[in-house]
C-alpha cells in the first residue's frame, strides 16, 4: 500500500509542475499586457501634453460664435 501512495504522489507532482508552469506563463503574459497598455497610455498622455491646444481651431470656433451672435442681434 505504501507503493501506491508513492505512485500517486509521483503522478501528482508532474501534473502540479505543469499546472504551475502554465499559471506562471499566463501570469507573465498578463503582466506584459498590462505593462504594454501602461506604456501606451503614458506615450499618448505625453503626446497630448506636448501638442497643446490648436490655436487655429480655437480662433475658428470663436469667429463662428461671433458671427452667430451678430446674426442673432440682426446686426449683420
Amino acid at each position: 500500500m505504501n507503493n501506491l501512495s508513492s505512485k500517486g504522489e509521483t503522478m501528482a507532482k508532474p501534473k502540479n509542475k505543469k499546472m504551475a508552469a502554465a499559471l506562471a506563463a499566463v501570469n507573465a503574459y498578463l503582466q506584459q499586457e498590462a505593462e504594454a497598455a501602461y506604456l501606451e497610455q503614458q506615450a499618448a498622455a505625453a503626446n497630448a501634453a506636448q501638442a497643446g491646444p490648436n490655436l487655429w481651431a480655437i480662433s475658428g470656433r470663436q469667429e463662428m460664435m461671433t458671427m452667430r451672435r451678430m446674426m442673432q442681434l440682426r446686426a449683420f
Side-chain angles (χ1 to χ4, degrees):
M1 191 158 187
N2 194 4
N3 289 340
L4 290 176
S5 70
S6 67
K7 285 183 180 179
E9 288 177 10
T10 57
M11 293 299 283
K13 285 183 182 179
K15 187 176 181 181
N16 286 341
K17 285 183 181 181
K18 288 180 183 179
M19 182 66 77
L23 290 174
V26 169
N27 191 24
Y29 176 77
L30 291 175
Q31 284 180 346
Q32 287 176 347
E33 287 292 317
E35 193 174 316
Y38 176 76
L39 292 175
E40 185 177 324
Q41 184 181 22
Q42 291 298 322
N47 288 340
Q50 289 175 351
N54 185 351
L55 297 179
W56 287 106
I58 292 172
S59 174
R61 284 191 289 270
Q62 183 68 38
E63 186 62 31
M64 284 189 285
M65 288 189 291
T66 302
M67 186 61 85
R68 287 181 184 145
R69 184 170 181 268
M70 297 294 263
M71 293 176 105
Q72 286 172 354
L73 294 174
R74 298 175 199 231
F76 184 59

